[in-house]
Amino acid sequence: ADVRKSFAGLRNLIHGEAAFFSDRVEPLQELQELERLGKMEAVFDEIERAAERVLSLSRAEQQQEAIALFRTDIENRFDAEFENLIADAVLSERDEVVRAEADADRRSLRLLVASVGVSAILMTLTLGAGFLFARSVSRPMSTLAEGALAIGRGQLDHRIGFESDNEFGLLARRFNQMASDIT
């Protein structure tokens, strides 16, 4: 009963895996797994019937026949068939894991490349914005500094030619007004 439950659980897992990975699991792969599971169930059924015959022979006190049947049908034939099916299933699952790991590696590499690309773009934009900001501040500052130096040297007729509505424009107008007030 436990083995039959395991077969049913495995069948549900195969269907669930195919549904979950519907974009990556090929229908043929699911069919192959279900076919392999069906073969396992058929071999298990044959083993179960052979075991019943062995028990029947044993109860009928035909020990030699029971042992011979056990060895030929269960121990040798069915056991080998079942082991081959399990080995085939394990190999198939390993191949599936290798493919999934390769797919994950490819996706990881694409994500890394995209991250580096986005980082490079953001760094370039940040540097560009910093350059533009520094340039927008340095020009008015040097104009104000030159004007302040000229007024400081006594060139009171010098006017700072910077007209803007921001703080730099206000400061330029104040220097010009100060120079006018002094003269």
Side-chain angles (χ1 to χ4, degrees):
D2 288 343
V3 173
R4 293 204 184 282
K5 266 202 250 182
S6 295
F7 283 139
L10 188 54
R11 178 170 277 107
N12 288 337
L13 286 173
I14 291 169
H15 289 302
E17 178 185 36
F20 185 76
F21 295 110
S22 61
D23 61 330
R24 284 178 262 157
V25 173
E26 297 178 23
L28 178 63
Q29 184 180 355
E30 179 185 8
L31 287 175
Q32 288 172 339
E33 289 181 8
L34 290 172
E35 183 179 307
R36 189 180 307 114
L37 181 61
K39 287 179 184 177
M40 284 182 191
E41 288 176 309
V43 169
F44 182 76
D45 290 342
E46 289 181 38
I47 290 172
E48 198 171 52
R49 284 192 293 276
E52 288 173 8
R53 287 193 309 271
V54 166
L55 289 174
S56 175
L57 286 171
S58 180
R59 280 189 217 116
E61 296 189 13
Q62 296 175 346
Q63 299 301 330
Q64 293 302 328
E65 291 86 359
I67 291 171
L69 180 64
F70 177 81
R71 284 190 178 143
T72 57
D73 281 1
I74 297 174
E75 192 174 54
N76 296 333
R77 182 177 152 238
F78 296 134
D79 193 29
E81 286 181 39
F82 207 58
E83 282 181 15
N84 287 337
L85 288 169
I86 290 173
D88 187 39
V90 167
L91 184 62
S92 175
E93 290 300 315
R94 281 189 182 140
D95 288 345
E96 193 175 324
V97 167
V98 167
R99 284 190 307 274
E101 285 177 340
D103 184 46
D105 289 344
R106 281 190 303 277
R107 290 174 189 255
S108 178
L109 181 61
R110 275 191 245 147
L111 182 61
L112 177 65
V113 168
S115 296
V116 168
V118 167
S119 295
I121 290 170
L122 289 175
M123 183 92 65
T124 303
L125 290 174
T126 302
L127 288 172
F131 175 75
L132 292 175
F133 176 73
R135 194 169 144 206
S136 71
V137 169
S138 68
R139 277 193 182 157
M141 289 294 285
S142 72
T143 302
L144 287 170
E146 288 172 13
L149 285 173
I151 294 170
R153 286 191 301 261
Q155 299 171 351
L156 299 178
D157 59 334
H158 180 81
R159 296 293 177 258
I160 300 172
F162 187 80
E163 297 297 322
S164 178
D165 290 334
N166 61 17
E167 290 80 8
F168 293 118
L170 177 65
L171 191 56
R173 285 190 296 276
R174 295 287 165 96
F175 268 109
N176 291 338
Q177 181 64 45
M178 182 179 67
S180 294
D181 289 348
I182 293 175
T183 54

